[in-house]
Amino acid sequence: MLYDINRLPLDTLLLPCTRATEAVARLDERVSRSPFSQGFLERQDFTDAVSSLWVDGELVHIEDLVLNDAHMDIRPPTHEIGIANRVLRARRQIFSNEPKWALSATGLSRLRGEAPRSEAPSQTEDRTAQNATENLDADDADMPLSDELSAIDRLIARSSATLDIIAKDERPPQYPTFENPTRDPDWNEDERLDEWKKVVKASAGLPATLRASIALDAWQKLEVLQRSPWLGRQLASAILRDEGLSPAHLPALNTGLRAVSRERRNAGNQAARLVAFLDGIQEAAMLGLKEHDRLLNAKSRMERRLLGRRSSSRLPDLIDLVLARPVVSTSMIVKALGTTPQGAVGLANQLELREMTGRGRFRAWGVI
């Protein structure tokens, strides 16, 4: 095994592991009982995606990512925004599926952006679709239908076969895959991924936070994927959820790793790196607790504005929106609430929101 975990200094790792486990469990309990848990989780996804780019040495403004996710960019999206969007989609995929999905063969293939080998379209299905089209052609020869209606029937048959393939998450065989010329052909990602899986399997029985730290350190040392180093951190979060430590949320580990210096995260000693990752897990949970308390106080302040309002008021919907997004623009309010731009500005002015832009042409707000 290229990455050895048989000689871990457990006496050194025990205390950081205990602190990290306690912090993650406290945050998960808080999220499970939160009155706005869904909004908090959506906000955590944006924060973690931006922090992931920061850990890799890139800078992405969270406002740009929020607007890009809402398809309301105010400037052309950059390459970094595209990567942050991939991280955001990966987190949503992991949390929307079963806890074991991310570490399964299907989940790993999906998160890597590849079609699962087990889900490749079979020749039997292709032959069935072809036979259906041929049967339609034979029926058209016997029935007095016009050429136009026959063409429509054949088109519907081909479209139905294609939609069946898409519905089963399969890649149509008529579209060939092309090798990326920017990748190293000698970089065997499958072999490195298998080695990483062995490390994760060998760590079974250890505490969840320690397993996540080992998985993250092994991913970093084995350099599993050339173009997606961020995926290892999301899989480490998935391990915490799979172990039952955070069933109510997907830990935003990148926010905690930002508080750990790069020198500690890339130390030459394995034990030092694991302690740094455990401290990052603890810091991520503590930051999540502080953010939740801040948003809870903001929610209480904004809900005071609802006293005496009509039941048809759109202010409750706006409160839910601003709690779920780090920043909301006029267009986002219009799209979510169905108001006019002038009405959106009027609603935003009724709440204690912070003006983010200071411009009249494009206005955006955030929770104080």
PDB file of all heavy atoms in Angstrom, residues 40 204 220 232 348:
ATOM      1  N   PHE A  40     -29.948  27.388   5.842  1.00  0.00           N
ATOM      2  CA  PHE A  40     -28.591  27.339   6.375  1.00  0.00           C
ATOM      3  C   PHE A  40     -27.712  26.404   5.565  1.00  0.00           C
ATOM      4  O   PHE A  40     -26.547  26.711   5.281  1.00  0.00           O
ATOM      5  CB  PHE A  40     -28.629  26.903   7.840  1.00  0.00           C
ATOM      6  CG  PHE A  40     -27.275  26.708   8.455  1.00  0.00           C
ATOM      7  CD1 PHE A  40     -26.518  27.793   8.852  1.00  0.00           C
ATOM      8  CD2 PHE A  40     -26.757  25.432   8.645  1.00  0.00           C
ATOM      9  CE1 PHE A  40     -25.261  27.617   9.417  1.00  0.00           C
ATOM     10  CE2 PHE A  40     -25.512  25.242   9.208  1.00  0.00           C
ATOM     11  CZ  PHE A  40     -24.758  26.346   9.597  1.00  0.00           C
ATOM     12  N   ALA A 204     -11.396   1.504   8.453  1.00  0.00           N
ATOM     13  CA  ALA A 204     -12.670   1.143   9.072  1.00  0.00           C
ATOM     14  C   ALA A 204     -12.455   0.774  10.534  1.00  0.00           C
ATOM     15  O   ALA A 204     -11.495   0.092  10.890  1.00  0.00           O
ATOM     16  CB  ALA A 204     -13.306  -0.023   8.313  1.00  0.00           C
ATOM     17  N   GLN A 220      -4.672  13.711  -0.868  1.00  0.00           N
ATOM     18  CA  GLN A 220      -3.700  14.755  -1.158  1.00  0.00           C
ATOM     19  C   GLN A 220      -2.348  14.166  -1.524  1.00  0.00           C
ATOM     20  O   GLN A 220      -1.656  14.672  -2.424  1.00  0.00           O
ATOM     21  CB  GLN A 220      -3.579  15.666   0.070  1.00  0.00           C
ATOM     22  CG  GLN A 220      -2.592  16.812  -0.071  1.00  0.00           C
ATOM     23  CD  GLN A 220      -2.623  17.740   1.122  1.00  0.00           C
ATOM     24  OE1 GLN A 220      -3.580  18.479   1.330  1.00  0.00           O
ATOM     25  NE2 GLN A 220      -1.581  17.689   1.942  1.00  0.00           N
ATOM     26  N   GLY A 232     -11.585  15.410  -3.147  1.00  0.00           N
ATOM     27  CA  GLY A 232     -11.191  14.658  -1.958  1.00  0.00           C
ATOM     28  C   GLY A 232     -11.764  15.254  -0.685  1.00  0.00           C
ATOM     29  O   GLY A 232     -12.154  14.523   0.243  1.00  0.00           O
ATOM     30  N   ALA A 348     -37.217  44.854   0.117  1.00  0.00           N
ATOM     31  CA  ALA A 348     -35.876  44.786   0.695  1.00  0.00           C
ATOM     32  C   ALA A 348     -35.624  45.945   1.652  1.00  0.00           C
ATOM     33  O   ALA A 348     -34.942  45.784   2.668  1.00  0.00           O
ATOM     34  CB  ALA A 348     -34.829  44.777  -0.418  1.00  0.00           C
TER      35      ALA A 348
END
